[in-house]
Amino acid sequence: MDALRFLVAWYNLPFLAALFCFLVCAALQLFAGSDDDTAAEHDVADLAAEGDAPAADANHVGLAALGFGRLPLTLVLMAFLGSFGTLGLLGNSLLHGLLGGYPAWLFVVVLLVGGVGALLLTGVISRVLVRLTPRHSAAIRLEELVGRSGRVTTATVSGSYGRVEVRDKFGGLHTVFAVTEGGELLPEQSEVALVAY
């Protein structure tokens, strides 16, 4: 009974809430299927284009250290929540046992140490998961289609207008607007190569 009373004490509630959210995320991931969080999968060039270059690069390095952009967002979130909840409960348990009680000011210390420790542990867990999971995202930049072949899908491709279907390296089909360099007309279903973007 003492263990249960300790577990539901006020100073353990944030850590229990984090572990509960971790379990909910894990259940959703397990039963709802895996979903690539492609919105979180940006590279350095994408982030640098969205804001001031130095700040974007610094933010990207910090987020990449946690696993953002290399893992689905839900996995990074699960790693943080699980780490935060576990470290907080372990810290409170250790300090409660050593001190024979729990002074209120200690909660802030455990909260801060648990948060920083969870960030560090999330980075370690993310690096391990990146090695274990192959990158299979279908999110690509259009520049990656340069050099690939495709088929004309409009009546013609001219020097001013046309559309071409191209498959990326993952097998995804993309329709891109295209023009010919010399102004020549290419009929529908012609096989072409994208040479520039």
Side-chain angles (χ1 to χ4, degrees):
M1 190 64 178
D2 285 338
L4 182 61
R5 189 176 300 128
F6 167 77
L7 196 60
V8 295
W10 65 270
Y11 46 82
N12 283 329
L13 292 180
F15 307 114
L16 288 175
L19 287 175
F20 176 75
C21 292
F22 165 78
L23 292 174
V24 168
C25 286
L28 289 174
Q29 191 75 5
L30 183 65
F31 295 115
S34 177
D35 181 45
D36 289 334
D37 297 314
T38 54
E41 295 180 5
H42 294 295
D43 60 15
V44 178
D46 292 338
L47 286 172
E50 292 174 9
D52 299 328
D57 289 342
N59 290 339
H60 183 267
V61 169
L63 293 175
L66 294 176
F68 286 97
R70 299 180 298 162
L71 287 174
L73 180 61
T74 50
L75 287 180
V76 176
L77 184 62
M78 286 170 53
F80 177 77
L81 290 171
S83 300
F84 179 70
T86 303
L87 290 174
L89 286 177
L90 288 174
N92 279 344
S93 176
L94 179 66
L95 291 170
H96 189 273
L98 288 174
L99 300 175
Y102 197 87
W105 62 268
L106 200 55
F107 173 72
V108 176
V109 174
V110 173
L111 201 63
L112 290 174
V113 171
V116 171
L119 287 173
L120 296 173
L121 197 54
T122 298
V124 171
I125 292 170
S126 294
R127 283 191 292 279
V128 169
L129 289 176
V130 164
R131 289 187 184 135
L132 296 176
T133 57
R135 180 159 172 87
H136 62 280
S137 171
I140 66 156
R141 296 184 319 268
L142 291 178
E143 292 87 356
E144 294 179 47
L145 297 176
V146 173
R148 303 196 66 84
S149 62
R151 292 200 180 277
V152 175
T153 58
T154 51
T156 62
V157 172
S158 66
S160 60
Y161 176 79
R163 283 188 307 208
V164 175
E165 284 186 344
V166 183
R167 290 204 180 273
D168 61 28
K169 62 185 175 185
F170 302 109
L173 190 62
H174 303 270
T175 301
V176 296
F177 290 102
V179 294
T180 57
E181 289 181 339
E184 62 183 297
L185 293 176
L186 299 173
E188 189 174 3
Q189 297 300 315
S190 296
E191 189 158 331
V192 296
L194 298 181
V195 294
Y197 174 77

